[in-house]
Amino acid sequence: MALLSQSRRLRRTPFSEGVEAAGVKAYTIYNHMLLPTVFRSVTEDYHHLKSAVQIWDVACERQVELRGPDAARLMQMLTPRDLRTMKEGQCFYVPIVDETGGMLNDPVAVKLAEDRWWISIADSDLLYWVKGIANGWRLDVLVDEPDVSPLAVQGPKADELMARVFGDSVKDVRFFRYGLFEFQGRKLVVARSGYSKQGGYEIYVEGSDIGMPLWNALMEAGRDLDVHAGCPNLIERIESGLLSYGNDMTDDNTPHECGLGRFCDTHDAIGCIGRDALLRVAKEGPVQQIRPMAIEGAAVPGCDRWWPLLAGEKRVGRVSSAAWSPDFETNVAIAMVRMTHWDAGTALRVQTPDGMRDATVLEGFWN
Amino acid sequence: MALLSQSRRLRRTPFSEGVEAAGVKAYTIYNHMLLPTVFRSVTEDYHHLKSAVQIWDVACERQVELRGPDAARLMQMLTPRDLRTMKEGQCFYVPIVDETGGMLNDPVAVKLAEDRWWISIADSDLLYWVKGIANGWRLDVLVDEPDVSPLAVQGPKADELMARVFGDSVKDVRFFRYGLFEFQGRKLVVARSGYSKQGGYEIYVEGSDIGMPLWNALMEAGRDLDVHAGCPNLIERIESGLLSYGNDMTDDNTPHECGLGRFCDTHDAIGCIGRDALLRVAKEGPVQQIRPMAIEGAAVPGCDRWWPLLAGEKRVGRVSSAAWSPDFETNVAIAMVRMTHWDAGTALRVQTPDGMRDATVLEGFWN
């Protein structure tokens, strides 16, 4: 692994102190901020995530806040998902597209009120796009990045741990809903969501000053639950088919290529900037799409660049994420595959830095 | 130093192979891309930069390309610098501001033609702001990120090395001008510019395929000049007062606070989105501003967060970049200081992670 030179530009988070005390071993950079990637080892963290409960510093999921009379209109301009039925208390996974239908981000939108929204972003400065659109269209809305840092509690014992800190009613929060729960006199948005399929919550910590108190409270309350500092786990997220913006897709890709067509109500998303382009895509269908793939052989090396996917000598796609799965005893991978070769069962070859490997397109992800 | 987990999201560059072969020791992440920070050691790299010539992989200075009838109009909307006198063949350092006058980026604009511009960006997704503005204002312009990766040649022997590869006429390129020079049959923009004050060039390498051939040609041609792979050097850039977006300033700061008032022709920059806000600032002056500071004592630790600057017990600013300078035998630093305490000679205290240090506001930077 390479070394990372730290500087203020790669921002610390309200939880960095806790992360360091927990013995973080490596980071990635996400939205100009430190995101831990390893505590004990990727594999140890993986097993623990699936069996216990972890606290994740995901402050790097920065918020873009929309406030004002035109907030809802602006939110709909950003995404092809129809937001008319969305209520206060709900979170929606929303592809964000430009005028060509290219993905700019794949965040979660949180509706705080008709005139107040948060967009919990993946790794790109979505703030700039939203501010530019608001300015150019002269919308009556304020757009900025508030002092809100998500802290995730993930794993099968997340309900138990959260109940101890926030009270039993936190267990009643349904998937992709949120409630307001008090900590040290402050009401926090607590959503049942997170970047794993092991269950859990994301706490939108408003005010950096209560970051470490909350971190410590959770660690303390979960001692007998084997709580541990953790982070989004490469293996688990691939098994679960959780896409990563910048890895598995870029602004070259439409939501349909990313398998996110079900989040596109293109006919009804009136006002969406990319609507015209996506109506065309929705009609014709994409010519390439995200697929789960199993790669044969021993553990693959780190996937730090796209690996060409070949049928004979012909390039038919790319692998963008890959890791050895201890539970499924194969290399799990996410690939973008041309339609000529995307059917489940198709045998292909992957060109890894360590040499050519056999690989198979699968029907579905593992988790 | 922390470890960095690599992934496709942290993009490699057309020169990564050369960087690795040269024994890169650490990276930072800049515009979602790998930027080397250390080869031999920061100090060794520093001495070498000041005495010989280095090749820098600064592909992370991504380009935002504006093409079309409204390109020049859009470019002027982005910056308070008056671009009317700017000619083809020139590069301008341009603060980019939002509607409140807050800095979004501090790139170099390259005028390729009246209807074609590159913006060579610092670390933020300026592409998103520019695309949003172009869309919202219905401008007749295409905005995207082309396959252009800058390669810098920096140091006192840069002229000699460049002449060997591009011919003697490359020496005639004046500061912040560019010429078109051929390499392997392709015409490349070669500018006299770069993120050091040791002299040199930036080659805008158009087409990833010629990245390594050019890298190798420069390495080969400079063997007897002691050419070495290098990178922007923390010590040298602080001595030289070269600001770093995200470190020394953010979107909270106006250009005037950053000491960039001389690049703001606010009265004449008709169409600039932040003009109204900046007219106010230009009239009243900023209440805090960037200042060079010398910090006493032994070498300071790495400045990975803002260090509070104190007058007595009162906070009057922050140090954002700092390093031990072997040549000036002091800790050189960049700070943002309140006007009550920004006069040269003012004695302040800096709260570093290692304890309190005495520090002095200086008249000018070192180089």
Side-chain angles (χ1 to χ4, degrees):
Chain A
M1 235 184 283
L3 284 169
L4 174 67
S5 293
Q6 290 185 248
S7 67
R8 191 274 157 192
R9 187 170 51 75
L10 311 182
R11 299 176 284 180
R12 293 168 61 82
T13 86
F15 318 111
S16 289
E17 212 182 285
V19 160
E20 287 163 355
V24 60
K25 291 223 176 83
Y27 293 101
T28 185
I29 300 300
Y30 199 95
N31 286 323
H32 315 276
M33 199 168 246
L34 297 171
L35 170 61
T37 52
V38 188
F39 282 89
R40 289 179 280 197
S41 75
V42 174
T43 306
E44 234 178 306
D45 293 350
Y46 160 87
H47 289 303
H48 179 263
L49 169 62
K50 287 185 163 191
S51 60
V53 57
Q54 298 183 346
I55 314 294
W56 293 3
D57 174 0
V58 284
C60 66
E61 295 169 11
R62 305 309 297 160
Q63 307 305 303
V64 176
E65 178 167 298
L66 316 184
R67 249 184 320 142
D70 283 336
R73 181 183 166 203
L74 174 55
M75 191 66 231
Q76 185 65 81
M77 289 174 75
L78 302 175
T79 180
R81 186 161 178 187
D82 182 2
L83 303 177
R84 285 174 303 170
T85 59
M86 187 176 177
K87 293 180 190 61
E88 219 176 286
Q90 282 191 298
C91 311
F92 271 23
Y93 178 66
V94 286
I96 305 282
V97 297
D98 67 14
E99 71 287 351
T100 72
M103 298 275 296
L104 296 178
N105 203 288
D106 69 325
V108 171
V110 180
K111 184 170 179 176
L112 300 167
E114 192 57 32
D115 62 355
R116 185 160 175 245
W117 300 66
W118 283 340
I119 312 176
S120 193
I121 63 173
D123 183 34
S124 72
D125 296 334
L126 189 62
L127 180 66
Y128 281 29
W129 170 251
V130 181
K131 277 170 67 101
I133 292 298
N135 178 277
W137 290 86
R138 284 77 142 189
L139 300 184
D140 195 5
V141 59
L142 283 173
V143 181
D144 58 20
E145 180 181 308
D147 179 17
V148 173
S149 297
L151 185 66
V153 179
Q154 300 283 300
K157 296 179 185 165
D159 273 46
E160 176 58 25
L161 174 55
M162 287 292 283
R164 293 183 188 178
V165 173
F166 291 101
D168 269 338
S169 60
V170 79
K171 293 187 187 172
D172 300 333
V173 176
R174 285 184 289 151
F175 188 62
F176 265 58
R177 302 271 174 153
Y178 71 83
L180 292 172
F181 293 86
E182 207 171 287
F183 180 77
Q184 296 197 342
R186 231 170 292 172
K187 293 244 181 233
L188 302 179
V189 169
V190 177
R192 192 181 285 276
S193 57
Y195 196 62
S196 87
K197 286 214 172 157
Q198 305 310 313
Y201 299 82
E202 287 174 305
I203 308 161
Y204 290 75
V205 181
E206 206 169 349
S208 295
D209 58 312
I210 58 166
M212 280 313 299
L214 178 57
W215 175 280
N216 290 331
L218 287 162
M219 283 294 181
E220 188 60 35
R223 210 174 280 184
D224 63 308
L225 300 174
D226 189 27
V227 67
H228 204 278
C231 49
N233 184 275
L234 179 67
I235 311 168
E236 198 275 344
R237 78 121 179 129
I238 298 174
E239 288 177 358
S240 299
L242 296 170
L243 304 184
S244 166
Y245 187 76
N247 281 317
D248 306 312
M249 58 201 167
T250 71
D251 59 0
D252 271 343
N253 303 118
T254 63
H256 299 79
E257 288 178 344
C258 303
L260 305 176
R262 66 188 183 285
F263 300 110
C264 298
D265 315 295
T266 316
H267 278 278
D268 297 319
I270 313 291
C272 167
I273 285 168
R275 187 168 175 262
D276 293 348
L278 288 181
L279 278 171
R280 173 65 47 198
V281 173
K283 199 171 156 184
E284 298 176 355
V287 299
Q288 58 178 357
Q289 203 168 50
I290 291 281
R291 285 287 182 274
M293 292 209 69
I295 303 177
E296 290 178 29
V300 289
C303 188
D304 66 354
R305 65 201 88 176
W306 286 332
W307 294 340
L309 206 48
L310 305 170
E313 297 309 311
K314 199 177 148 199
R315 191 178 165 140
V316 297
R318 68 183 189 221
V319 167
S320 49
S321 299
W324 174 259
S325 162
D327 283 353
F328 297 98
E329 295 182 323
T330 185
N331 291 294
V332 294
I334 298 175
M336 183 71 78
V337 192
R338 302 287 295 176
M339 67 185 302
T340 48
H341 294 80
W342 73 26
D343 289 344
T346 306
L348 298 170
R349 290 183 312 147
V350 186
Q351 197 181 315
T352 78
D354 289 4
M356 207 65 87
R357 295 282 187 101
D358 290 323
T360 310
V361 178
L362 300 187
E363 186 65 42
F365 284 95
W366 291 262
N367 276 336
Chain B
M1 237 186 283
L3 284 169
L4 174 68
S5 292
Q6 290 185 248
S7 68
R8 191 275 158 192
R9 187 169 53 73
L10 312 181
R11 298 175 285 180
R12 293 168 60 82
T13 86
F15 318 111
S16 289
E17 213 182 285
V19 161
E20 287 162 355
V24 62
K25 291 222 177 85
Y27 293 101
T28 185
I29 300 299
Y30 200 95
N31 285 322
H32 315 276
M33 199 168 245
L34 296 171
L35 170 61
T37 52
V38 187
F39 282 89
R40 290 179 280 195
S41 75
V42 174
T43 306
E44 234 179 307
D45 292 351
Y46 160 87
H47 289 303
H48 178 264
L49 168 61
K50 288 186 163 190
S51 60
V53 57
Q54 298 183 345
I55 314 294
W56 292 4
D57 173 359
V58 285
C60 65
E61 294 169 11
R62 305 309 297 161
Q63 307 305 302
V64 175
E65 178 167 299
L66 317 185
R67 248 183 322 140
D70 283 337
R73 181 182 166 203
L74 174 55
M75 191 66 231
Q76 185 64 80
M77 289 174 76
L78 301 175
T79 181
R81 186 162 177 187
D82 182 3
L83 303 177
R84 285 175 303 170
T85 59
M86 188 177 177
K87 293 181 190 61
E88 218 176 286
Q90 282 191 298
C91 311
F92 271 23
Y93 178 66
V94 285
I96 304 281
V97 296
D98 67 14
E99 70 287 352
T100 72
M103 298 275 295
L104 296 178
N105 202 288
D106 69 324
V108 171
V110 180
K111 184 171 180 175
L112 300 166
E114 192 57 32
D115 62 356
R116 185 159 175 247
W117 300 67
W118 282 341
I119 312 176
S120 192
I121 63 172
D123 183 34
S124 73
D125 295 335
L126 188 63
L127 180 67
Y128 280 30
W129 170 251
V130 181
K131 278 169 66 102
I133 293 296
N135 178 277
W137 289 87
R138 285 76 142 190
L139 301 183
D140 195 5
V141 59
L142 282 172
V143 181
D144 58 20
E145 180 182 308
D147 179 17
V148 173
S149 297
L151 186 66
V153 178
Q154 300 283 301
K157 295 179 185 165
D159 272 47
E160 175 58 25
L161 174 54
M162 287 292 283
R164 293 183 188 177
V165 173
F166 290 101
D168 269 338
S169 59
V170 80
K171 293 187 189 173
D172 300 332
V173 176
R174 284 184 289 153
F175 188 61
F176 266 58
R177 301 271 173 153
Y178 71 84
L180 292 172
F181 292 86
E182 207 170 287
F183 180 76
Q184 295 197 342
R186 231 171 291 172
K187 294 245 181 233
L188 301 179
V189 169
V190 177
R192 191 181 285 275
S193 57
Y195 197 62
S196 87
K197 287 213 173 157
Q198 305 309 314
Y201 299 81
E202 287 175 304
I203 308 162
Y204 290 76
V205 180
E206 207 170 348
S208 295
D209 58 311
I210 58 167
M212 279 312 300
L214 177 58
W215 174 280
N216 290 331
L218 287 161
M219 284 294 181
E220 188 61 35
R223 208 174 282 184
D224 62 308
L225 300 174
D226 188 27
V227 69
H228 204 276
C231 48
N233 184 275
L234 179 67
I235 311 168
E236 197 275 344
R237 78 119 178 130
I238 297 175
E239 288 178 357
S240 300
L242 296 170
L243 304 184
S244 166
Y245 187 76
N247 282 316
D248 306 313
M249 59 201 166
T250 71
D251 59 1
D252 271 344
N253 303 117
T254 63
H256 299 78
E257 288 178 343
C258 303
L260 305 176
R262 65 188 184 284
F263 300 110
C264 298
D265 314 296
T266 316
H267 278 279
D268 296 319
I270 312 291
C272 167
I273 285 168
R275 187 169 175 263
D276 294 347
L278 289 181
L279 278 171
R280 173 65 45 198
V281 173
K283 199 172 154 182
E284 297 176 356
V287 299
Q288 58 177 359
Q289 202 167 50
I290 292 280
R291 286 288 182 275
M293 292 209 69
I295 302 176
E296 290 177 27
V300 288
C303 188
D304 65 353
R305 66 203 85 177
W306 286 332
W307 295 340
L309 206 48
L310 304 170
E313 297 309 310
K314 198 176 148 202
R315 192 177 164 141
V316 297
R318 68 185 188 219
V319 167
S320 48
S321 299
W324 174 260
S325 161
D327 283 354
F328 297 97
E329 295 182 322
T330 185
N331 291 293
V332 294
I334 298 175
M336 182 72 76
V337 192
R338 303 287 295 175
M339 68 186 301
T340 47
H341 294 80
W342 73 25
D343 288 344
T346 305
L348 299 170
R349 290 183 313 147
V350 186
Q351 196 182 317
T352 78
D354 288 5
M356 207 64 87
R357 295 282 187 101
D358 290 322
T360 310
V361 178
L362 300 186
E363 186 66 42
F365 285 95
W366 292 263
N367 275 336

PDB file of all heavy atoms in Angstrom, chain B residues 299-319:
ATOM      1  N   ALA B 299      11.846  22.112  13.808  1.00  0.00           N
ATOM      2  CA  ALA B 299      10.907  21.806  12.723  1.00  0.00           C
ATOM      3  C   ALA B 299       9.515  21.491  13.279  1.00  0.00           C
ATOM      4  O   ALA B 299       9.372  20.697  14.214  1.00  0.00           O
ATOM      5  CB  ALA B 299      11.423  20.627  11.916  1.00  0.00           C
ATOM      6  N   VAL B 300       8.491  22.127  12.707  1.00  0.00           N
ATOM      7  CA  VAL B 300       7.115  21.877  13.135  1.00  0.00           C
ATOM      8  C   VAL B 300       6.655  20.516  12.606  1.00  0.00           C
ATOM      9  O   VAL B 300       7.192  20.017  11.620  1.00  0.00           O
ATOM     10  CB  VAL B 300       6.162  22.978  12.615  1.00  0.00           C
ATOM     11  CG1 VAL B 300       6.387  24.282  13.358  1.00  0.00           C
ATOM     12  CG2 VAL B 300       6.300  23.159  11.116  1.00  0.00           C
ATOM     13  N   PRO B 301       5.658  19.923  13.253  1.00  0.00           N
ATOM     14  CA  PRO B 301       5.088  18.682  12.700  1.00  0.00           C
ATOM     15  C   PRO B 301       4.290  19.004  11.435  1.00  0.00           C
ATOM     16  O   PRO B 301       4.129  20.172  11.084  1.00  0.00           O
ATOM     17  CB  PRO B 301       4.170  18.192  13.818  1.00  0.00           C
ATOM     18  CG  PRO B 301       3.836  19.403  14.626  1.00  0.00           C
ATOM     19  CD  PRO B 301       5.002  20.332  14.506  1.00  0.00           C
ATOM     20  N   GLY B 302       3.796  17.984  10.754  1.00  0.00           N
ATOM     21  CA  GLY B 302       2.995  18.188   9.545  1.00  0.00           C
ATOM     22  C   GLY B 302       1.726  18.962   9.874  1.00  0.00           C
ATOM     23  O   GLY B 302       1.056  18.683  10.866  1.00  0.00           O
ATOM     24  N   CYS B 303       1.402  19.930   9.038  1.00  0.00           N
ATOM     25  CA  CYS B 303       0.226  20.783   9.290  1.00  0.00           C
ATOM     26  C   CYS B 303      -0.998  20.141   8.623  1.00  0.00           C
ATOM     27  O   CYS B 303      -1.372  20.506   7.522  1.00  0.00           O
ATOM     28  CB  CYS B 303       0.503  22.177   8.745  1.00  0.00           C
ATOM     29  SG  CYS B 303      -0.760  23.388   9.192  1.00  0.00           S
ATOM     30  N   ASP B 304      -1.609  19.189   9.320  1.00  0.00           N
ATOM     31  CA  ASP B 304      -2.723  18.441   8.723  1.00  0.00           C
ATOM     32  C   ASP B 304      -4.082  19.008   9.114  1.00  0.00           C
ATOM     33  O   ASP B 304      -5.117  18.439   8.794  1.00  0.00           O
ATOM     34  CB  ASP B 304      -2.632  16.951   9.076  1.00  0.00           C
ATOM     35  CG  ASP B 304      -2.807  16.701  10.560  1.00  0.00           C
ATOM     36  OD1 ASP B 304      -2.871  17.680  11.324  1.00  0.00           O
ATOM     37  OD2 ASP B 304      -2.864  15.520  10.948  1.00  0.00           O
ATOM     38  N   ARG B 305      -4.061  20.123   9.849  1.00  0.00           N
ATOM     39  CA  ARG B 305      -5.300  20.828  10.201  1.00  0.00           C
ATOM     40  C   ARG B 305      -4.919  22.277  10.476  1.00  0.00           C
ATOM     41  O   ARG B 305      -3.748  22.582  10.655  1.00  0.00           O
ATOM     42  CB  ARG B 305      -5.945  20.196  11.436  1.00  0.00           C
ATOM     43  CG  ARG B 305      -5.123  20.351  12.703  1.00  0.00           C
ATOM     44  CD  ARG B 305      -5.440  19.320  13.760  1.00  0.00           C
ATOM     45  NE  ARG B 305      -4.685  18.097  13.521  1.00  0.00           N
ATOM     46  CZ  ARG B 305      -4.712  17.027  14.332  1.00  0.00           C
ATOM     47  NH1 ARG B 305      -5.469  17.012  15.413  1.00  0.00           N
ATOM     48  NH2 ARG B 305      -3.990  15.953  14.056  1.00  0.00           N
ATOM     49  N   TRP B 306      -5.902  23.169  10.507  1.00  0.00           N
ATOM     50  CA  TRP B 306      -5.589  24.560  10.786  1.00  0.00           C
ATOM     51  C   TRP B 306      -5.118  24.708  12.232  1.00  0.00           C
ATOM     52  O   TRP B 306      -5.772  24.204  13.150  1.00  0.00           O
ATOM     53  CB  TRP B 306      -6.820  25.432  10.552  1.00  0.00           C
ATOM     54  CG  TRP B 306      -7.118  25.631   9.104  1.00  0.00           C
ATOM     55  CD1 TRP B 306      -6.232  25.609   8.076  1.00  0.00           C
ATOM     56  CD2 TRP B 306      -8.402  25.880   8.507  1.00  0.00           C
ATOM     57  NE1 TRP B 306      -6.877  25.832   6.875  1.00  0.00           N
ATOM     58  CE2 TRP B 306      -8.207  26.004   7.114  1.00  0.00           C
ATOM     59  CE3 TRP B 306      -9.697  26.023   9.005  1.00  0.00           C
ATOM     60  CZ2 TRP B 306      -9.244  26.264   6.223  1.00  0.00           C
ATOM     61  CZ3 TRP B 306     -10.732  26.280   8.120  1.00  0.00           C
ATOM     62  CH2 TRP B 306     -10.506  26.395   6.745  1.00  0.00           C
ATOM     63  N   TRP B 307      -4.019  25.439  12.407  1.00  0.00           N
ATOM     64  CA  TRP B 307      -3.508  25.709  13.742  1.00  0.00           C
ATOM     65  C   TRP B 307      -3.961  27.101  14.179  1.00  0.00           C
ATOM     66  O   TRP B 307      -3.685  28.091  13.480  1.00  0.00           O
ATOM     67  CB  TRP B 307      -1.969  25.679  13.752  1.00  0.00           C
ATOM     68  CG  TRP B 307      -1.380  24.332  13.453  1.00  0.00           C
ATOM     69  CD1 TRP B 307      -1.986  23.121  13.550  1.00  0.00           C
ATOM     70  CD2 TRP B 307      -0.037  24.066  13.017  1.00  0.00           C
ATOM     71  NE1 TRP B 307      -1.116  22.109  13.203  1.00  0.00           N
ATOM     72  CE2 TRP B 307       0.087  22.666  12.881  1.00  0.00           C
ATOM     73  CE3 TRP B 307       1.068  24.862  12.742  1.00  0.00           C
ATOM     74  CZ2 TRP B 307       1.273  22.052  12.459  1.00  0.00           C
ATOM     75  CZ3 TRP B 307       2.248  24.258  12.331  1.00  0.00           C
ATOM     76  CH2 TRP B 307       2.349  22.865  12.193  1.00  0.00           C
ATOM     77  N   PRO B 308      -4.611  27.205  15.323  1.00  0.00           N
ATOM     78  CA  PRO B 308      -5.061  28.517  15.791  1.00  0.00           C
ATOM     79  C   PRO B 308      -3.893  29.475  16.019  1.00  0.00           C
ATOM     80  O   PRO B 308      -2.836  29.073  16.501  1.00  0.00           O
ATOM     81  CB  PRO B 308      -5.771  28.191  17.113  1.00  0.00           C
ATOM     82  CG  PRO B 308      -6.142  26.751  17.004  1.00  0.00           C
ATOM     83  CD  PRO B 308      -5.054  26.116  16.193  1.00  0.00           C
ATOM     84  N   LEU B 309      -4.140  30.720  15.658  1.00  0.00           N
ATOM     85  CA  LEU B 309      -3.158  31.786  15.811  1.00  0.00           C
ATOM     86  C   LEU B 309      -3.695  32.691  16.906  1.00  0.00           C
ATOM     87  O   LEU B 309      -4.838  33.156  16.833  1.00  0.00           O
ATOM     88  CB  LEU B 309      -3.098  32.527  14.476  1.00  0.00           C
ATOM     89  CG  LEU B 309      -1.846  33.269  14.045  1.00  0.00           C
ATOM     90  CD1 LEU B 309      -0.593  32.450  14.211  1.00  0.00           C
ATOM     91  CD2 LEU B 309      -2.019  33.676  12.577  1.00  0.00           C
ATOM     92  N   LEU B 310      -2.884  32.926  17.935  1.00  0.00           N
ATOM     93  CA  LEU B 310      -3.380  33.647  19.105  1.00  0.00           C
ATOM     94  C   LEU B 310      -2.601  34.924  19.384  1.00  0.00           C
ATOM     95  O   LEU B 310      -1.385  34.981  19.197  1.00  0.00           O
ATOM     96  CB  LEU B 310      -3.301  32.735  20.339  1.00  0.00           C
ATOM     97  CG  LEU B 310      -4.022  31.390  20.238  1.00  0.00           C
ATOM     98  CD1 LEU B 310      -3.669  30.498  21.423  1.00  0.00           C
ATOM     99  CD2 LEU B 310      -5.532  31.586  20.150  1.00  0.00           C
ATOM    100  N   ALA B 311      -3.345  35.941  19.840  1.00  0.00           N
ATOM    101  CA  ALA B 311      -2.735  37.163  20.391  1.00  0.00           C
ATOM    102  C   ALA B 311      -3.217  37.181  21.833  1.00  0.00           C
ATOM    103  O   ALA B 311      -4.403  37.402  22.078  1.00  0.00           O
ATOM    104  CB  ALA B 311      -3.211  38.397  19.640  1.00  0.00           C
ATOM    105  N   GLY B 312      -2.323  36.898  22.760  1.00  0.00           N
ATOM    106  CA  GLY B 312      -2.772  36.679  24.140  1.00  0.00           C
ATOM    107  C   GLY B 312      -3.637  35.425  24.116  1.00  0.00           C
ATOM    108  O   GLY B 312      -3.205  34.382  23.631  1.00  0.00           O
ATOM    109  N   GLU B 313      -4.860  35.526  24.602  1.00  0.00           N
ATOM    110  CA  GLU B 313      -5.759  34.360  24.576  1.00  0.00           C
ATOM    111  C   GLU B 313      -6.735  34.431  23.410  1.00  0.00           C
ATOM    112  O   GLU B 313      -7.541  33.541  23.201  1.00  0.00           O
ATOM    113  CB  GLU B 313      -6.551  34.265  25.902  1.00  0.00           C
ATOM    114  CG  GLU B 313      -5.689  34.054  27.140  1.00  0.00           C
ATOM    115  CD  GLU B 313      -4.706  32.897  26.971  1.00  0.00           C
ATOM    116  OE1 GLU B 313      -5.134  31.799  26.560  1.00  0.00           O
ATOM    117  OE2 GLU B 313      -3.490  33.100  27.233  1.00  0.00           O
ATOM    118  N   LYS B 314      -6.658  35.525  22.632  1.00  0.00           N
ATOM    119  CA  LYS B 314      -7.640  35.783  21.583  1.00  0.00           C
ATOM    120  C   LYS B 314      -7.229  35.149  20.266  1.00  0.00           C
ATOM    121  O   LYS B 314      -6.079  35.297  19.823  1.00  0.00           O
ATOM    122  CB  LYS B 314      -7.754  37.305  21.409  1.00  0.00           C
ATOM    123  CG  LYS B 314      -8.997  37.763  20.694  1.00  0.00           C
ATOM    124  CD  LYS B 314      -9.056  39.281  20.672  1.00  0.00           C
ATOM    125  CE  LYS B 314      -9.731  39.778  19.417  1.00  0.00           C
ATOM    126  NZ  LYS B 314      -9.375  41.168  19.100  1.00  0.00           N
ATOM    127  N   ARG B 315      -8.171  34.480  19.634  1.00  0.00           N
ATOM    128  CA  ARG B 315      -7.879  33.867  18.344  1.00  0.00           C
ATOM    129  C   ARG B 315      -7.941  34.932  17.249  1.00  0.00           C
ATOM    130  O   ARG B 315      -8.955  35.602  17.080  1.00  0.00           O
ATOM    131  CB  ARG B 315      -8.899  32.767  18.063  1.00  0.00           C
ATOM    132  CG  ARG B 315      -8.502  31.909  16.901  1.00  0.00           C
ATOM    133  CD  ARG B 315      -9.463  30.760  16.643  1.00  0.00           C
ATOM    134  NE  ARG B 315      -9.169  30.258  15.294  1.00  0.00           N
ATOM    135  CZ  ARG B 315      -9.168  28.984  14.971  1.00  0.00           C
ATOM    136  NH1 ARG B 315      -9.484  28.082  15.848  1.00  0.00           N
ATOM    137  NH2 ARG B 315      -8.877  28.620  13.734  1.00  0.00           N
ATOM    138  N   VAL B 316      -6.858  35.073  16.509  1.00  0.00           N
ATOM    139  CA  VAL B 316      -6.814  36.124  15.488  1.00  0.00           C
ATOM    140  C   VAL B 316      -6.485  35.554  14.106  1.00  0.00           C
ATOM    141  O   VAL B 316      -6.190  36.315  13.176  1.00  0.00           O
ATOM    142  CB  VAL B 316      -5.780  37.220  15.854  1.00  0.00           C
ATOM    143  CG1 VAL B 316      -6.190  37.916  17.142  1.00  0.00           C
ATOM    144  CG2 VAL B 316      -4.372  36.636  15.974  1.00  0.00           C
ATOM    145  N   GLY B 317      -6.567  34.248  13.960  1.00  0.00           N
ATOM    146  CA  GLY B 317      -6.301  33.671  12.652  1.00  0.00           C
ATOM    147  C   GLY B 317      -5.931  32.209  12.743  1.00  0.00           C
ATOM    148  O   GLY B 317      -6.195  31.555  13.765  1.00  0.00           O
ATOM    149  N   ARG B 318      -5.325  31.714  11.654  1.00  0.00           N
ATOM    150  CA  ARG B 318      -4.965  30.298  11.586  1.00  0.00           C
ATOM    151  C   ARG B 318      -3.757  30.125  10.678  1.00  0.00           C
ATOM    152  O   ARG B 318      -3.592  30.855   9.694  1.00  0.00           O
ATOM    153  CB  ARG B 318      -6.133  29.493  11.004  1.00  0.00           C
ATOM    154  CG  ARG B 318      -6.346  29.841   9.534  1.00  0.00           C
ATOM    155  CD  ARG B 318      -7.545  29.196   8.897  1.00  0.00           C
ATOM    156  NE  ARG B 318      -7.536  29.458   7.456  1.00  0.00           N
ATOM    157  CZ  ARG B 318      -8.598  29.727   6.728  1.00  0.00           C
ATOM    158  NH1 ARG B 318      -9.787  29.796   7.294  1.00  0.00           N
ATOM    159  NH2 ARG B 318      -8.498  29.927   5.428  1.00  0.00           N
ATOM    160  N   VAL B 319      -2.936  29.162  11.020  1.00  0.00           N
ATOM    161  CA  VAL B 319      -1.863  28.739  10.115  1.00  0.00           C
ATOM    162  C   VAL B 319      -2.396  27.569   9.306  1.00  0.00           C
ATOM    163  O   VAL B 319      -3.004  26.650   9.858  1.00  0.00           O
ATOM    164  CB  VAL B 319      -0.603  28.323  10.900  1.00  0.00           C
ATOM    165  CG1 VAL B 319       0.390  27.589  10.009  1.00  0.00           C
ATOM    166  CG2 VAL B 319       0.046  29.551  11.537  1.00  0.00           C
TER     167      VAL B 319
END
